[in-house]
Amino acid sequence: MCERCGEMKTDLYIIGGFLGSGKTTLLMQLLDKEKKAGRKVAVLMNEIGSMSVDSAMLGEDTAVRDMLNGCICCTIKDEIEVELLTLYKEHHPDVIYIETTGAAHPMEVLDACTSPVIAMQINVKGIITLVDCARWMERNRLPIAHRKLMEDQARWSDVVALTKKDVVPIEALAKIKEEIRSLNEKVVLQEMVFGKMDEEIVFGGGSDSDGGHHAHHHLHVRTMAYEFTNHVPRAEFTKWVASLPDSVLRIKGFVKFEDSGERPELFQYAYGVPFFQPQPLKRPPVIVVIGDELNTEQLQQGLERLDGKRF
């Protein structure tokens, strides 16, 4: 439930993987499952070309937004906020699936999807990456940048679905799993047979039966959003930022400080470096924290102290 607007939050899933790995095939299966469960679904599709082809396959009862001529992680990253906000306001879906281009880095996509403007309405459920087994085995023949991207897509995912396993020997499949686990020991490995998932997708060993709490708790990369109700003391905020653990990878948002009146300041934090910039526009006093296995309870307590809710 969103505390600010009183409405239910929209679940968000990110589907990634190289071109031809089977993302759209998996998406169609997930949409069918959601519709059978009576959930209202929306899709954001990121295409490299100038015309969307895949979105036409999703059916008239699915709200679709296309992002053409670019990648979520670079040229049109700033547009993701508008597209997600439009989907949320116009359709109020229960769940949004984002199908990314093969060139997308999962962390950059996650960063693009967690805008402070919409963070209080979105519940990021996880990142699913499809890995083509044959292509993975041949990845050392790829340019270094492409190989690193393929490995990073596996490294930062909650679920890796192995596709085209029928074209590689059994012993090779075992080696592929071992290699992926060496990059990401927390990953849930699942298999797709002839384009279909062989079992239910489960995040972090959890299940729908426990309301998603257990599954969300064990997500690899986690996000949390916090909305301030008061002006924040700048010196105390700066101390809090300096005390953050290495597991905090990124923070972004808008903060009203006691010494800046009603003008919010843009705050960003990456690689241990904070950045402040005054903003002329009215923005919600919300910050989003992204990190590896975040201690969200501890972060929440620290933010509440800054907000004057805890003493």
Side-chain angles (χ1 to χ4, degrees), residues 26 44 56 80-81 106 117 141 165 168 172 190 196 200 205 217 222 234 268 290 307:
L26 175 61
L44 182 57
I80 188 77
E81 172 186 311
V117 174
R141 297 183 181 182
K165 70 169 192 174
V168 300
Q190 297 189 225
K196 292 190 176 181
E200 192 84 4
H217 179 73
R222 302 178 66 192
R234 188 183 298 272
Q268 299 204 62
I290 303 173
D307 203 15

Side-chain angles (χ1 to χ4, degrees), residues 8-21:
M8 293 299 294
K9 286 191 174 187
T10 294
D11 291 340
L12 179 83
Y13 293 90
I14 298 167
I15 302 176
F18 267 57
L19 183 67
S21 59

Side-chain angles (χ1 to χ4, degrees), residues 4 31 88 102 140 154 190 207 219 248-249 297-298 307:
R4 175 150 46 112
L31 294 183
Y88 182 81
N140 288 331
Q190 297 189 225
S207 67
L219 290 183
V248 175
L249 305 173
E297 184 177 351
Q298 188 177 66
D307 203 15

Side-chain angles (χ1 to χ4, degrees), residues 74-87:
C74 50
T75 54
I76 56 175
K77 180 177 176 179
D78 291 342
E79 294 180 24
I80 188 77
E81 172 186 311
V82 176
E83 299 295 341
L84 281 176
L85 207 52
T86 299
L87 279 175

Side-chain angles (χ1 to χ4, degrees), residues 127-280:
I127 301 172
I128 310 166
T129 293
L130 281 76
V131 169
D132 180 322
C133 289
R135 184 173 289 182
W136 179 271
M137 288 180 61
E138 300 294 326
R139 70 188 185 286
N140 288 331
R141 297 183 181 182
L142 296 172
I144 292 176
H146 289 184
R147 183 173 74 243
K148 186 177 186 306
L149 174 59
M150 181 178 286
E151 291 175 350
D152 277 351
Q153 287 177 340
R155 179 179 284 111
W156 293 108
S157 293
D158 301 298
V159 174
V160 166
L162 300 172
T163 68
K164 303 180 184 177
K165 70 169 192 174
D166 51 302
V167 302
V168 300
I170 294 177
E171 58 272 18
L173 183 62
K175 187 172 187 295
I176 291 169
K177 291 181 178 180
E178 182 181 335
E179 290 173 345
I180 292 175
R181 285 204 184 279
S182 71
L183 295 170
N184 181 359
E185 63 180 15
K186 308 175 187 74
V187 72
V188 175
L189 284 172
Q190 297 189 225
E191 299 174 10
M192 292 186 71
V193 182
F194 301 113
K196 292 190 176 181
M197 192 69 76
D198 63 348
E199 56 185 310
E200 192 84 4
I201 290 182
V202 175
F203 288 88
S207 67
D208 291 339
S209 63
D210 56 21
H213 175 77
H214 179 71
H216 183 69
H217 179 73
H218 289 284
L219 290 183
H220 184 4
V221 180
R222 302 178 66 192
T223 68
M224 69 164 286
Y226 182 87
E227 182 176 21
F228 292 101
T229 55
N230 300 300
H231 286 67
V232 177
R234 188 183 298 272
E236 292 301 315
F237 184 83
T238 303
K239 284 182 185 178
W240 175 77
V241 171
S243 70
L244 291 171
D246 292 340
S247 59
V248 175
L249 305 173
R250 178 97 159 86
I251 304 177
K252 56 184 177 177
F254 303 97
V255 185
K256 289 182 180 179
F257 292 104
E258 290 179 346
D259 59 0
S260 60
E262 292 304 312
R263 292 184 64 191
E265 289 191 28
L266 169 68
F267 172 71
Q268 299 204 62
Y269 172 93
Y271 304 105
V273 179
F275 173 78
F276 300 85
Q277 182 179 354
Q279 294 293 297

Side-chain angles (χ1 to χ4, degrees), residues 47-52 68-69:
E47 306 282 345
I48 285 290
S50 60
M51 182 177 70
S52 170
L68 305 175
N69 283 322

Side-chain angles (χ1 to χ4, degrees), residues 46-59:
N46 180 207
E47 306 282 345
I48 285 290
S50 60
M51 182 177 70
S52 170
V53 176
D54 292 332
S55 61
M57 303 163 54
L58 303 181

